[in-house]
Amino acid sequence: MKLKDKVAIVTGAGSGIGRAIALEFVKEGAWVLVSDVDHSGGEETVKMIRGQGKETSFFPADVSQAEEVQKMVSAAVERYKKLDILVNNAAINTMGDSQMITEEVWDKTIAVNLTGTFLCSKYAIAEMKNSGGGVIVNIASVEGLSGFSNQLAYSASKGGVINVTKCLAIDHARDNIRVNSICPADIETPMFTGYVDLEGLEPIKKHMLMQHAMRRFGKPEEVARVAVFLASEDSSYITGTNLIVDGGWMCGKNLDPAEILGWK
Ligand code: NAP
C-alpha cells in the first residue's frame, strides 16, 4: 500500500479522472475527502469507495470560491486530523478562439482551472506546513504545453497550471512539500465525450486516434496510477516536474501517410 493512512483531498472527484484517482488512492490505503461542485457525482464516488469497504465523505465545493475552498480544507483536517495530499483536478473545458469566446467564458475558465488550483493549494499548503509536509498533484493538460485551435482559455489556463506547479515547488520544497503536475491527452471521461461526441464520426475519430502514437485514447485509471506515483514516496526526489500521460501524443508528428492512404 503506497499511501497507507495518508489523508487526501481530490477536487472534481465526482467524475472521470478525479473519481479514478479517489478510487485508486483508497486502494492504496489513503483516506480521501471527495470534493466536487456536482453533488450527485460526488455522492456516487462516495458510494463506490464505501463499496470497497472504506470510510469516506463528500464535501461540496466550488474551487473558484475562496470561502468554499477554506471550508473544504478545514473539513478534511477536522475529520482526519491532518492533510497529506491535495489533487487539483477540478476543471471545465471551454471552446473558442479570441473572437468566439466571451469575456465571461474566459473569466470562468481561468477562475475554475487556474485560480481554483491556486486557492486550493494556498489553503492546503498552510495545513501541510503545520503537519510537517505534503504533496500536491495538479492535473494540467497537453494543451498547456502547446497551442491548440479553438481552445484559447482552456489552453491558457492549463499553461498557467504548469507554471503554478513549478513556482509552488520552488517556494515550498523547504517546507517538505512536493508539487508536480500531470499532462494527460485525450482520456475517455465525460469531459472528453462532452467535447467531442464521436458517435457516427468515424473519420474524425480515426484522425484523432492517429495523433496518438499508441492509436488509442487513455483511460482515467491510467492517469490515476501516475497520480499515485507522484503522491507516494516512490517519487520522493521529484518536484516541480510535469509528467506527460498521452499515449505518445506529444512525442512527435504521429500522422502516418501510409495509414492515411489506407495502405495499412
Ligand atoms: P470531468 O469528467 O468533467 O470531471 C471534472 C469534474 O470537475 C466534474 O465533476 C465537474 O463537475 C467538476 N468541476 C467543474 N467545475 C468545478 C468547480 N468550479 N469546482 C469543483 N469541481 C468542479 O473531467 P475529466 O476529463 O475527468 O477531467 C479531469 C481533469 O483532467 C481536468 O483538470 C481536465 O482539464 C484534465 N484533463 C482531461 C483530459 C481528458 O481528455 N478527459 C485531457 C487533459 C486534461 P461538473 O460536471 O458539474 O462540471
Side-chain angles (χ1 to χ4, degrees):
M1 286 212 178
K2 292 182 187 291
L3 303 175
K4 191 159 172 32
D5 289 333
K6 296 290 182 190
V7 175
I9 295 175
V10 182
T11 68
S15 178
I17 293 169
R19 173 177 289 164
I21 292 173
L23 288 165
E24 210 60 41
F25 276 18
V26 167
K27 265 197 231 160
E28 294 292 346
W31 301 98
V32 177
L33 186 85
V34 171
S35 188
D36 205 297
V37 274
D38 173 9
H39 290 228
S40 65
E43 295 292 1
E44 184 59 32
T45 303
V46 163
K47 219 189 283 172
M48 292 165 88
I49 292 174
R50 289 189 179 143
Q52 290 184 8
K54 187 98 185 218
E55 193 35 55
T56 183
S57 54
F58 172 60
F59 194 90
D62 178 340
V63 295
S64 66
Q65 303 301 315
E67 211 175 302
E68 295 184 30
V69 169
Q70 271 177 287
K71 286 184 181 154
M72 171 188 79
V73 171
S74 299
V77 175
E78 246 162 60
R79 192 175 173 98
Y80 301 108
K81 311 297 171 220
K82 60 172 183 165
L83 178 62
D84 301 300
I85 303 165
L86 166 69
V87 181
N88 282 310
N89 167 78
I92 53 170
N93 191 5
T94 54
M95 291 192 70
D97 65 16
S98 67
Q99 303 307 295
M100 286 157 71
I101 62 164
T102 60
E103 285 156 56
E104 286 73 21
V105 169
W106 170 271
D107 286 346
K108 170 102 181 157
T109 312
I110 299 297
V112 176
N113 299 5
L114 185 54
T115 309
T117 298
F118 155 66
L119 289 172
C120 294
S121 303
K122 176 179 173 65
Y123 294 107
I125 285 170
E127 284 303 333
M128 288 170 177
K129 282 175 80 165
N130 283 339
S131 54
V135 181
I136 297 178
V137 180
N138 294 326
I139 309 301
S141 167
V142 289
E143 293 189 31
L145 292 168
S146 134
F148 209 86
S149 60
N150 281 313
Q151 296 261 266
L152 180 67
Y154 182 79
S155 189
S157 72
K158 292 299 185 175
V161 169
I162 292 165
N163 256 1
V164 163
T165 301
K166 293 177 187 168
C167 294
L168 293 176
I170 293 167
D171 288 340
H172 299 291
R174 279 150 291 156
D175 297 320
N176 195 31
I177 297 170
R178 295 188 298 109
V179 189
N180 293 292
S181 54
I182 297 176
C183 276
D186 293 332
I187 308 296
E188 287 171 328
T189 68
M191 178 186 280
F192 176 62
T193 48
Y195 149 67
V196 266
D197 180 3
L198 296 172
E199 199 64 40
L201 297 174
E202 284 313 310
I204 294 175
K205 183 173 179 181
K206 194 174 168 203
H207 181 80
M208 288 181 73
L209 285 171
M210 269 196 241
Q211 294 180 333
H212 302 69
M214 292 174 73
R215 298 297 190 265
R216 67 174 179 84
F217 301 130
K219 298 186 188 325
E221 298 70 30
E222 292 178 300
V223 180
R225 292 302 308 162
V226 179
V228 168
F229 168 68
L230 289 176
S232 75
E233 278 300 298
D234 283 353
S235 59
S236 55
Y237 197 52
I238 299 179
T239 197
T241 205
N242 178 49
L243 241 160
I244 299 173
V245 182
D246 70 344
W249 196 86
M250 288 293 295
C251 68
K253 303 285 177 225
N254 280 311
L255 296 181
D256 176 349
E259 208 174 346
I260 293 168
L261 293 167
W263 296 349
K264 63 177 188 185

